[in-house]
Amino acid sequence: MTESNKLVAAARETFGKGVARKLRAIGQTPVVVYGHGTDPVHLSVETHPLSLMLRQANALIELDIDGKSQLVLVKDVQRDPVRQIIEHVDLIVVKKGETVEVEVNVHVVGESFSGTNALQELNTIRLSAPAVSIPENIEVNVDGLTDGTQILAGAIELPKGVTLLDAEDALVVNIVAPRGASEDEAEEAAAE
């Protein structure tokens, strides 16, 4: 856990739209912490550092609540649809050694064989991962792959301790030649 993922949280005793609006006016964001059979805990945290953490998918945050440390994972973020400011965040309690279900971005790396295109069919895949080591993204290497090659979810190499929750036969990347490319080449060969 890095220093950049730590936030100081203050307890909230009052609730409602007006209270939340006042908190946002002073640079605070209302948050609610759920999980492990406990009652929801209503808190407020500084908006700016929280917004920086939320840029990362599946952000793991260490909250300092009255001197006690609590590890949480971002569950839901509510934003104003026009101004895109953070209105409210739901956090879920996680413990070290626990696994969580998350959606992780898929990044295609490398260049497929000359004259082919790598079409990414899935942008995210669902995984079960240890709460303290959620992968930021999953890389799929298409270097040198030829036309007709398909990479399925079950064929992706996952980090240790991470398991796939999506169907193993889900198409992630499809390598294709552009339409008409083989016809153009045939015409050029006939002309020569």
Side-chain angles (χ1 to χ4, degrees):
M1 181 70 40
T2 62
E3 263 320 296
S4 62
N5 284 0
K6 294 183 179 181
L7 281 176
V8 175
R12 290 189 295 142
E13 300 300 324
T14 53
F15 312 103
K17 196 185 309 183
V19 173
R21 194 175 294 129
K22 288 176 185 174
L23 280 173
R24 286 190 292 273
I26 60 169
Q28 297 281 310
T29 299
V31 299
V32 178
V33 178
Y34 302 94
H36 291 285
T38 61
D39 291 333
V41 179
H42 299 271
L43 306 167
S44 65
V45 297
E46 280 188 64
T47 300
H48 181 69
L50 176 66
S51 64
L52 294 176
M53 290 176 201
L54 293 178
R55 290 181 179 176
Q56 174 188 344
N58 302 313
L60 189 65
I61 301 170
E62 187 176 333
L63 289 180
D64 180 351
I65 307 167
D66 296 327
K68 289 190 244 175
S69 181
Q70 179 67 63
L71 204 57
V72 294
L73 186 67
V74 176
K75 182 74 172 166
D76 186 42
V77 179
Q78 296 171 9
R79 295 180 188 270
D80 180 279
V82 176
R83 297 179 293 161
Q84 288 300 303
I85 60 169
I86 300 167
E87 291 188 332
H88 177 84
V89 178
D90 289 335
L91 305 169
I92 190 161
V93 174
V94 293
K95 297 193 183 316
K96 292 181 178 173
E98 178 180 28
T99 60
V100 292
E101 293 182 11
V102 292
E103 270 195 25
V104 177
N105 290 329
V106 175
H107 287 271
V108 176
V109 295
E111 290 289 323
S112 58
F113 190 76
S114 179
T116 62
N117 294 326
L119 301 179
Q120 186 171 345
E121 303 293 335
L122 283 180
N123 293 323
T124 62
I125 57 175
R126 288 182 326 109
L127 304 172
S128 175
V132 293
S133 59
I134 298 170
E136 198 169 312
N137 59 57
I138 298 296
E139 289 187 352
V140 177
N141 190 347
V142 297
D143 218 20
L145 297 180
T146 58
D147 182 31
T149 305
Q150 294 184 335
I151 300 173
L152 303 178
I156 297 174
E157 191 173 320
L158 298 174
K160 185 179 179 186
V162 176
T163 55
L164 179 69
L165 295 177
D166 282 335
E168 290 196 9
D169 63 345
L171 181 61
V172 179
V173 179
N174 194 10
I175 308 298
V176 297
R179 287 188 180 190
S182 57
E183 295 169 10
D184 294 341
E185 291 169 3
E187 288 174 13
E188 287 176 16
E192 290 176 4

